[in-house]
Amino acid sequence: MRNRQVINDITEVCLLAGKIMLQSGAETYRVEDTMMRIARSFGSNDPQSYVTPTGIIFSLHSAEKTKLLRITKRTTNLNKVIKVNNISRSISSGDMSAEEAYKILKSIEEGYPQYPMYINIAAASIASGFSLIMFNGGWNDFLPSFIIGGAGFTCQIFLDRLVNIKFFAEFLASLVIGLMSYLFIKVGAGHDLSNIIISSVMPLVPGLLITNAVRDLMAGHLVSGLSKGAEASLTAFAISSGIAIVFALF
């Protein structure tokens, strides 16, 4: 009975660590590697882990049950990935028990985002403004890009919570960006419509998702790499569709 409880504790620690990393934007192969390292550090000789962007299947050597964990929500929070990696290293060095690791992982999972919402929006605005300069835009279009990029990112966040369908949230956010860009040009506050639109949608572009898709494919995780690539393509289609409607209307 005691041995079964130990197995359950180790399994729960591995699953929770994998869940946090996968939900926070870590690569599939990194999630699998971290779970395997944690299991081996606790004495498992042959742990088995299979991870996809939407689920985790895991079992320990000689364990009676294989557990499946469904992943429905994914975002980008590299701070959580770093914290889980640090816990994995502490476990590997023997400085942390399964019970301690589970409590810390639970606090990481339930913790608030690293930065408040207004800082995220400000960062999106700054990224949009300086993206315009990087694309050889004029400084007279910096302020419109700054405002529109922040507004589009804000719309994407709140629409995602309201609609709960990523595609429509990104489509509507890009539509708002296109309409605001056209409005700024119409009233004379902006000059280069194309540069303003391109720089303003940069916070919506799935850069990390594309990078992870390529890295997973290179690591041999074909299912995860192709699915992440398809998700990134769908996001790009949503963004381009919203902008295309604005060009078609005006």
Side-chain angles (χ1 to χ4, degrees), residues 168-235:
F168 289 111
E170 292 162 344
F171 168 76
L172 293 174
S174 63
L175 184 63
V176 169
I177 288 174
L179 291 173
M180 289 185 66
S181 299
Y182 179 79
L183 181 62
F184 269 81
I185 295 294
K186 195 71 175 176
V187 300
H191 301 83
D192 191 336
L193 178 63
S194 297
N195 263 343
I196 292 176
I197 290 177
I198 293 172
S199 59
S200 298
V201 300
M202 288 305 292
L204 306 181
V205 174
L208 181 64
L209 195 60
I210 296 172
T211 303
N212 286 350
V214 174
R215 293 190 68 177
D216 281 337
L217 286 172
M218 293 176 65
H221 293 263
L222 303 181
V223 174
S224 298
L226 290 174
S227 60
K228 288 180 180 179
E231 184 179 353
S233 299
L234 193 62
T235 297

Side-chain angles (χ1 to χ4, degrees), residues 73-199:
K73 194 73 173 178
R74 294 178 302 278
T75 183
T76 301
N77 193 330
L78 299 184
N79 182 49
K80 288 188 176 183
V81 176
I82 293 172
K83 287 182 177 180
V84 174
N85 279 331
N86 291 336
I87 292 174
S88 174
R89 295 188 184 97
S90 298
I91 293 173
S92 299
S93 61
D95 298 331
M96 190 177 296
S97 65
E99 293 80 3
E100 293 172 336
Y102 185 82
K103 289 180 181 178
I104 298 175
L105 287 170
K106 202 67 179 174
S107 65
I108 294 174
E109 180 189 25
E110 298 172 352
Y112 291 99
Q114 182 182 4
Y115 300 108
M117 187 63 65
Y118 69 89
I119 292 183
N120 290 328
I121 295 172
S125 298
I126 293 171
S128 297
F130 283 100
S131 291
L132 180 129
I133 304 302
M134 184 178 68
F135 296 143
N136 295 322
W139 282 99
N140 51 356
D141 286 332
F142 178 87
L143 186 60
S145 296
F146 181 93
I147 296 172
I148 296 169
F153 186 74
T154 304
C155 289
Q156 194 270 335
I157 292 174
F158 288 102
L159 288 170
D160 187 42
R161 294 177 180 177
L162 181 64
V163 181
N164 203 26
I165 299 176
K166 187 180 178 183
F167 176 86
F168 289 111
E170 292 162 344
F171 168 76
L172 293 174
S174 63
L175 184 63
V176 169
I177 288 174
L179 291 173
M180 289 185 66
S181 299
Y182 179 79
L183 181 62
F184 269 81
I185 295 294
K186 195 71 175 176
V187 300
H191 301 83
D192 191 336
L193 178 63
S194 297
N195 263 343
I196 292 176
I197 290 177
I198 293 172
S199 59

